[in-house]
Amino acid sequence: MIFRQLFDSVSGTYSYLLASRAGGEALILDPVLEKVDRYCQLLRELDLKLVKAVDTHLHADHVTGLGELRDRTHCMTVMGDQTKADVVAMRVADGDKVTIEGLSLDVMYTPGHTDDSYSYLMGDRVFTGDTLLIRGTGRTDFQNGSSRAQYDSIFNRLLKLPDETMVFPAHDYKGDTVSTIGEEKRYNPRLQVRSVDDYIELMANLKLPNPKMMDVAVPANMHVGLHQEELEKEGRVLRAVEAIRSLGRPDILLVDLRETNERMKHGMLEGALHTPYPSVEDSLKPGGMLREVAAATGRRVVFFCAFGERSAMAVAAAKEAGLTNTAHIAGGIDAWKKAGGPVVH
């Protein structure tokens, strides 16, 4: 496995690059905007294709690299269901899995630091975001934080993991890089409390100043959605209502870019072809399935996904590949369902 822990000294942020093999798919956790050049260089050096960029929560102390990485690598952006970010390609919930070729992360909803805080468990290690830090815990005094929720997330979720599980947080300000669940149970001063009420009192008396970047980072991190004005001008955008009206038309080929678990959870559109987003570029090349089907039938390819971000990128990729008779459903299956469109389970 390829595993890299990357550090931004300005914000004290750790980002993590994961892949199962050289030449394969990669995932990055908690990327920092100012470090995107470095990540892209490392991806080239390790011969990796970035397919997913994940934020554990909406960060207040740095601007996320999610949007910039998406624009440069055409990767999918991933955050939890509760995020206030305008558009991410995939939203996950407790019990879901985030997968890339050869690797799978279990999604754990661990609110408290913020109401959209998630942790990601992968075998012998857990990425705890700002929920559990090394010899500390994330503050709970803004972004709908809750000391009670954080106590529950830590004591009833994270500390129930095996003691030898390695803890990789999103931040450290003292130079520590990794801990274990067992170590934190024994030596983390914030965890030596007798009850939830003790923990709430402890967190209420921290009196911390706001992060220096908070007023810049939070608004910026809420606006990471892909700009789609160009596609709109080119007539490559279908509103959900128009798309619903065109369901079943013989001149249209619907292509679902979501992953299998998203389709099972949120429903499918009748007659749609399934081509998961990471494989769409190959499918558009000469000899690729989508290209051949479009050429043989003359049908207009209409992409859709969860929220419209992957499908907008697929339209751009199709255009680049010389396939011009394409469009996508703005807002994805989310907008489709809100407009009363039928789904099958």
Side-chain angles (χ1 to χ4, degrees):
M1 184 177 85
I2 293 169
F3 176 77
R4 295 288 184 275
Q5 184 179 39
L6 303 153
F7 188 58
D8 172 52
S9 55
V10 177
S11 60
T13 304
Y14 283 123
S15 305
Y16 300 92
L17 182 69
L18 313 172
S20 66
R21 64 176 178 87
E25 294 184 349
L27 173 149
I28 194 165
L29 274 160
D30 290 327
V32 175
L33 179 62
E34 287 79 8
K35 296 290 180 189
V36 167
D37 282 344
R38 173 71 187 120
Y39 307 145
C40 290
Q41 181 189 351
L42 193 56
L43 289 162
R44 286 192 298 273
E45 290 169 354
L46 299 177
D47 184 28
L48 296 172
K49 181 191 180 189
L50 189 68
V51 293
K52 288 180 182 162
V54 183
D55 264 351
T56 51
H57 62 289
L58 194 87
H59 294 280
D61 56 1
H62 67 269
V63 177
T64 180
L66 248 57
E68 183 70 14
L69 280 168
R70 175 206 57 224
D71 293 347
R72 289 212 212 171
T73 68
H74 304 139
C75 69
M76 287 163 54
T77 54
V78 183
M79 287 187 81
D81 258 345
Q82 294 77 5
T83 184
K84 307 289 189 301
D86 51 356
V87 179
V88 287
M90 179 189 279
R91 293 184 182 220
V92 292
D94 191 70
D96 286 348
K97 287 184 186 300
V98 173
T99 57
I100 58 170
E101 169 210 15
L103 291 178
S104 180
L105 280 70
D106 293 314
V107 179
M108 299 173 73
Y109 180 41
T110 51
H113 169 60
T114 63
D115 60 353
D116 69 338
S117 288
Y118 277 77
S119 299
Y120 292 87
L121 176 66
M122 188 181 74
D124 63 354
R125 62 199 64 195
V126 62
F127 302 96
T128 52
D130 284 10
T131 302
L132 177 61
L133 304 174
I134 298 172
R135 309 297 190 266
T137 57
R139 61 193 295 171
T140 57
D141 56 341
F142 54 76
Q143 284 183 274
N144 298 320
S146 160
S147 300
R148 185 176 296 280
Q150 190 174 63
Y151 179 93
D152 186 53
S153 295
I154 294 171
F155 282 87
N156 297 324
R157 298 295 304 277
L158 294 171
L159 297 188
K160 294 281 200 287
L161 295 171
D163 278 3
E164 60 275 15
T165 307
M166 289 182 280
V167 173
F168 287 101
H171 287 99
D172 190 85
Y173 309 100
K174 304 177 300 299
D176 292 318
T177 56
V178 60
S179 180
T180 66
I181 290 293
E183 257 183 70
E184 292 310 307
K185 277 182 188 171
R186 285 191 295 278
Y187 304 120
N188 189 322
R190 294 205 189 155
L191 306 187
Q192 311 312 310
V193 290
R194 289 187 303 277
S195 68
V196 63
D197 291 331
D198 284 356
Y199 186 74
I200 290 168
E201 188 181 346
L202 177 117
M203 296 303 284
N205 290 307
L206 293 178
K207 311 261 188 301
L208 299 169
N210 277 347
K212 290 191 282 288
M213 283 279 288
M214 184 172 170
D215 294 340
V216 175
V218 171
N221 292 340
M222 288 169 75
H223 296 288
V224 292
L226 183 70
H227 295 290
Q228 300 180 23
E229 297 86 350
E230 279 306 307
L231 294 182
E232 188 108 43
K233 277 187 216 153
E234 293 168 9
R236 295 173 190 273
V237 174
L238 277 185
R239 301 268 155 240
V241 176
E242 298 168 73
I244 291 164
R245 281 202 296 266
S246 67
L247 190 62
R249 263 176 43 187
D251 59 329
I252 281 181
L253 175 65
L254 285 172
V255 178
D256 189 346
L257 301 172
R258 295 172 301 154
E259 297 184 357
T260 301
N261 58 350
E262 293 176 277
R263 285 157 53 84
M264 303 308 285
K265 190 170 165 183
H266 299 292
M268 294 163 262
L269 302 194
E270 204 164 339
L273 198 65
H274 183 216
T275 305
Y277 174 72
S279 65
V280 83
E281 278 187 17
D282 284 340
S283 205
L284 291 165
K285 287 174 182 165
M289 179 196 61
L290 270 182
R291 196 184 188 95
E292 295 302 307
V293 169
T297 62
R299 293 161 82 184
R300 184 179 205 194
V301 175
V302 176
F303 296 105
F304 69 93
C305 59
F307 301 101
E309 186 155 294
R310 279 169 274 183
S311 55
M313 290 193 287
V315 170
K319 187 182 170 188
E320 218 166 275
L323 204 68
T324 52
N325 194 17
T326 61
H328 85 115
I329 300 175
I333 201 94
D334 181 60
W336 174 279
K337 284 163 99 168
K338 283 173 180 164
V343 296
V344 291
H345 284 277

